[in-house]
Amino acid sequence: MGDDNSYDIRTILTQMREEYWQALAEEESEAKEMLECLVFTLGGKRYAFETHYACEVIRVPKLVRVPAVQSLIRGIFNLRGEITAAIDIRPMLGVPQPEIGATGRILVVRAENFATGILVEAAHGVQGLCFDCFEPVAAGSGVKAQFIRGHFNLEEGSVILLDMEALLAAPELVAGDA
């Protein structure tokens, strides 16, 4: 039995191992650097930010209006016992402000010292965005560009990447630090 050269287990295993490692090497070379983002609609355009800023996505609850606050704050709501502000960042970005309808959502985000809810026209979910398609914002692109890191040119259209660190640190959003 041992003299039969048509079936050599060592040769077969060696060949299988080489094919396995070659396939892994090809897979790694094809792997692209991705950024996991929450994609949503504002002013009819698709925007995104990194998922580590997001806590959750909820339906728009009944908002309680608060007098004498910045116009960006559309109201407050109770998020499991925590009073949270619902803000509309569209004026900060200079985008159109259509009515937020049934598809509207609140993206609950956490900054260093506070949590807030960002009103959006629709949430599209988490998506891996490839850096090969990313174009950074050009320096000196205007006042609104301070909140934008760049955009991804995807097959289904452009997705604008927000600079959440700059946005959440904006004086318009940080209350009570005066």
Side-chain angles (χ1 to χ4, degrees):
M1 269 198 222
D3 296 338
D4 187 5
N5 289 337
S6 64
Y7 180 73
D8 181 15
I9 190 72
R10 290 190 192 280
T11 306
I12 292 171
L13 288 174
T14 302
Q15 184 180 359
M16 286 176 66
R17 182 176 3 154
E18 287 172 3
E19 288 173 3
Y20 172 79
W21 287 112
Q22 183 177 357
L24 276 182
E26 288 172 6
E27 213 174 272
E28 283 180 14
S29 68
E30 291 174 9
K32 295 179 168 75
E33 193 174 350
M34 302 289 273
L35 184 65
E36 190 175 81
C37 292
L38 180 58
V39 181
F40 53 94
T41 300
L42 281 177
K45 293 182 180 175
R46 291 184 338 139
Y47 285 82
F49 60 78
E50 296 96 325
T51 53
H52 64 89
Y53 288 104
C55 296
E56 61 187 299
V57 177
I58 61 172
R59 284 193 164 94
V60 180
K62 174 151 179 47
L63 299 177
V64 178
R65 300 247 181 245
V66 180
V69 295
Q70 304 99 311
S71 62
L72 294 176
I73 299 175
R74 292 299 167 104
I76 56 173
F77 63 98
N78 185 338
L79 182 64
R80 287 183 296 289
E82 248 184 73
I83 302 301
T84 307
I87 60 170
D88 187 354
I89 62 171
R90 295 177 296 181
M92 294 173 70
L93 300 173
V95 298
Q97 299 176 46
E99 189 65 36
I100 294 184
T103 60
R105 296 289 183 263
I106 289 185
L107 312 179
V108 180
V109 296
R110 185 162 299 283
E112 196 173 311
N113 300 321
F114 65 95
T116 192
I118 298 175
L119 282 163
V120 299
E121 293 149 30
H124 305 292
V126 174
Q127 188 176 342
L129 301 175
C130 178
F131 272 119
D132 289 352
C133 306
F134 183 72
E135 287 183 33
V137 69
S141 296
V143 178
K144 309 300 181 198
Q146 69 186 3
F147 303 122
I148 296 173
R149 290 179 47 195
H151 66 276
F152 292 92
N153 292 316
L154 307 176
E155 288 177 18
E156 59 271 15
S158 182
V159 176
I160 300 165
L161 182 64
L162 293 178
D163 185 343
M164 288 303 287
E165 203 166 304
L167 192 69
L168 292 172
E172 297 94 325
L173 298 187
V174 181
D177 285 353

